[in-house]
Amino acid sequence: MNYLAIPLAAVFGFLAHLLWLRMLPAPKGFSGDARRSSAVGAPAVLRQILVFILILVMAYVLGGAIGHLGPGQTTIRNGVISAAILWAGFVATTSGVNGVLAGQPARQIFMTVGRWFVVLVVEGSLLGVFGA
């Protein structure tokens, strides 16, 4: 594993996450700030630090998955494909189930699922370029 590529992928994944939240309108009933910091308890900065740590773990696991393709198989194409497969099989499904069970509107579920697709593809691209 390229232990320099993983934090780099996490930083760009986190930036993609923040950009996604800033570009899309808040769901009905949420102000922009409430949508980005609706967790109870810790201040918004601490929540974003936790989000970054979780995205870093995501980059590490994605790097491991890409690395399992074998020597010479770490390419941008394989990084994006691996990210899309893991997104479809695990992230989209669990995010979708959580949204449905929480009673979220379909638009909000699709916005969440879409955000994680973008984050994973950004991470997969960078891990593919720099070697997982």
Side-chain angles (χ1 to χ4, degrees):
M1 281 181 124
N2 182 340
Y3 292 105
L4 296 175
I6 291 168
L8 180 68
V11 166
F12 279 90
F14 183 72
L15 292 173
H17 154 78
L18 291 177
L19 183 62
W20 181 274
L21 290 178
R22 298 231 185 269
M23 285 178 32
L24 294 176
K28 288 182 182 179
F30 287 93
S31 71
D33 290 336
R35 177 177 63 138
R36 286 187 281 278
S37 59
S38 60
V40 177
V45 171
L46 291 178
R47 287 192 296 268
Q48 291 304 325
I49 291 169
L50 179 58
V51 168
F52 176 76
I53 291 168
L54 294 170
I55 289 175
L56 179 63
V57 171
M58 183 183 286
Y60 179 79
V61 171
L62 181 57
I66 295 167
H68 276 280
L69 296 175
Q73 296 300 311
T74 304
T75 65
I76 190 168
R77 180 178 184 269
N78 285 342
V80 170
I81 290 170
S82 296
I85 289 170
L86 292 173
W87 170 84
F90 298 102
V91 178
T93 54
T94 56
S95 294
V97 167
N98 289 342
V100 168
L101 293 177
Q104 296 174 339
R107 181 171 184 248
Q108 186 175 355
I109 294 169
F110 287 121
M111 287 171 49
T112 299
V113 169
R115 180 178 72 235
W116 292 118
F117 178 77
V118 169
V119 168
L120 274 163
V121 166
V122 165
E123 288 183 345
S125 299
L126 287 167
L127 290 168
V129 168
F130 294 108

